[in-house]
Structures are given as structure tokens and as C-alpha cells.
Amino acid sequence: MTTRVKICGLTRPEDVEACHAAGAAYVGLNFFARSPRYIAPRAARELALAAPVGLAKVALTVDATDPELDEILDHVPLDMLQLHGRESPARVAEVRARYGLPVMKAVGLSGAEDLAALGAYEDEADQILVDAKPPRGAQLPGGNGIAFDWRLIADRTWKRPWMLAGGLTPANVAQALRLTGARQVDVASGVESAPGVKDAGLIRAFVTAARR
């Protein structure tokens, strides 16, 4: 089975083209205003419309309210919502019902004590994003370029499809896949030449390494 790759935090039309050319399955658009990868809904619309058929468009939001989600979806044609904040299982269910789109819930890990949180979302989310928990005082809930101990989830399974994130790069993604058994991976900072600036060569190298 081919590993499916999500490239998150696109801000330019050429990023969409690079992801498609490399063979990525998903592209992520970041609507968290404090992120260097933030994109406004109107600008995101242009990127989404430029995405070729078959390239899934995912909106990353952090504790977004209904009016904020309404604004995003009024402008941007999307295939999935990614909730990357402190949304409860009940909130995940609300969003899923309100918008009729698949919902991916991000859960941060730093130690074994965090594993129980993953199971809490299995009945509500369509997919789980297993990410590194941000360090104390971090300004971003994800995209910090740090990894967790992949052995924590070695050979674990969940009822829902899941995706591995956190500190992945072209150099380490193959090892991460071997240790965790993940079939999907998500990368943001690991394919950038500067914060928020994607590098087409790194995108290509990452997808190639993940599929190898």
C-alpha cells in the first residue's frame, strides 16, 4: 500500500503545483492567524481552485468558532476539516454534523500518558492526526518541527485511519514509517526553506522517501 502524504501550510500557487507533481495526496491550508503559514480565506480560495482533481484540500483550524468556519467554507472549496486545537470529542461531532465534511482531529503526544486522548476521538473523528505535543510556551499547536518518541505508537492500531506528524523530514520519514507502521504522514516545516516558504525540491524528496 502506497504511503499517502499531506503537505501542510501552503501559501503560494507554485506550492500546490509542487505537491501535485511530487504525488502528494493532501494539501493543507492553515487558517490559524498566528502561524507563519497562515493564509486568508480569499487567498486560500485561489489555491484551492488551482488544486488538480484528486488532490484533497484540508483546512487547518485551531479552536475555530462556527462563524469563523462559516467564513472559511463560504470562500474555500474544501474536502476535509482539520481541528488542531483543544476541541472536545463533542465539538468534533458538532463540526462534522454542521458542515458535512470529514473531520481530522489532531492529538499531541509527548509521553505514554497522552495515549488515552487518542482513543477519546475515535468515535467522532473520521481521521486522527498523531502529532508531537508542542513544548511549554510554544505559540503554535503544531508545525514546530519537533518529533515525539515514535516507539510510543509502534504497532498500535485505531478504529479510524490515522496520520503521523511532528518533526518529519526527508531524512527521517522512512525511519518513522518503519517504527510506527503509519500509512499516512503530514509535514509542514520539514519541507520549507524558511518559515512558511515551501521548497519544491524538499517536497519531492519527502514524498519519494515516504513512498520508498
Side-chain angles (χ1 to χ4, degrees):
M1 180 178 178
T2 301
T3 303
R4 292 167 62 82
V5 175
K6 176 173 173 281
I7 309 294
C8 197
L10 307 191
T11 59
R12 306 172 302 173
E14 56 263 41
D15 298 337
V16 178
E17 174 57 34
C19 291
H20 175 60
Y26 308 82
V27 291
L29 302 171
N30 189 324
F31 296 99
F32 183 52
R34 295 205 300 270
S35 172
R37 303 169 189 94
Y38 169 76
I39 187 167
R42 290 184 185 277
R45 175 179 174 81
E46 300 305 314
L47 268 63
L49 290 174
V53 173
L55 189 59
K57 304 171 292 295
V58 183
L60 186 159
T61 66
V62 179
D63 299 315
T65 63
D66 286 349
E68 289 169 336
L69 291 173
D70 289 345
E71 181 183 9
I72 292 168
L73 287 161
D74 282 348
H75 288 94
V76 189
L78 293 165
D79 300 299
M80 180 179 289
L81 296 172
Q82 177 180 326
L83 307 185
H84 214 109
R86 298 181 179 179
E87 299 90 356
S88 67
R91 176 58 176 160
V92 172
E94 286 177 4
V95 170
R96 194 173 179 228
R98 178 180 175 89
Y99 297 102
L101 287 173
V103 173
M104 178 187 297
K105 178 67 182 86
V107 179
L109 294 186
S110 63
E113 67 278 6
D114 299 316
L115 290 171
L118 289 167
Y121 292 95
E122 284 190 280
D123 291 331
E124 309 301 345
D126 295 278
Q127 294 202 42
I128 305 293
L129 180 71
V130 185
D131 200 358
K133 181 180 285 187
R136 189 180 300 275
Q139 296 299 306
L140 303 176
N144 293 294
I146 60 172
F148 62 92
D149 184 351
W150 297 318
R151 292 171 298 181
L152 286 169
I153 58 170
D155 300 318
R156 293 181 67 95
T157 59
W158 290 278
K159 291 187 292 186
R160 301 292 191 180
W162 65 281
M163 187 177 291
L164 179 67
L168 297 175
T169 69
N172 69 15
V173 66
Q175 181 188 17
L177 289 165
R178 286 194 299 270
L179 284 174
T180 64
R183 305 306 307 174
Q184 301 189 110
V185 288
D186 185 351
V187 64
S189 62
V191 292
E192 292 180 343
S193 57
V197 181
K198 294 292 184 285
D199 182 290
L202 289 174
I203 289 172
R204 184 168 57 251
F206 185 91
V207 174
T208 298
R211 290 185 163 178
R212 184 179 300 145

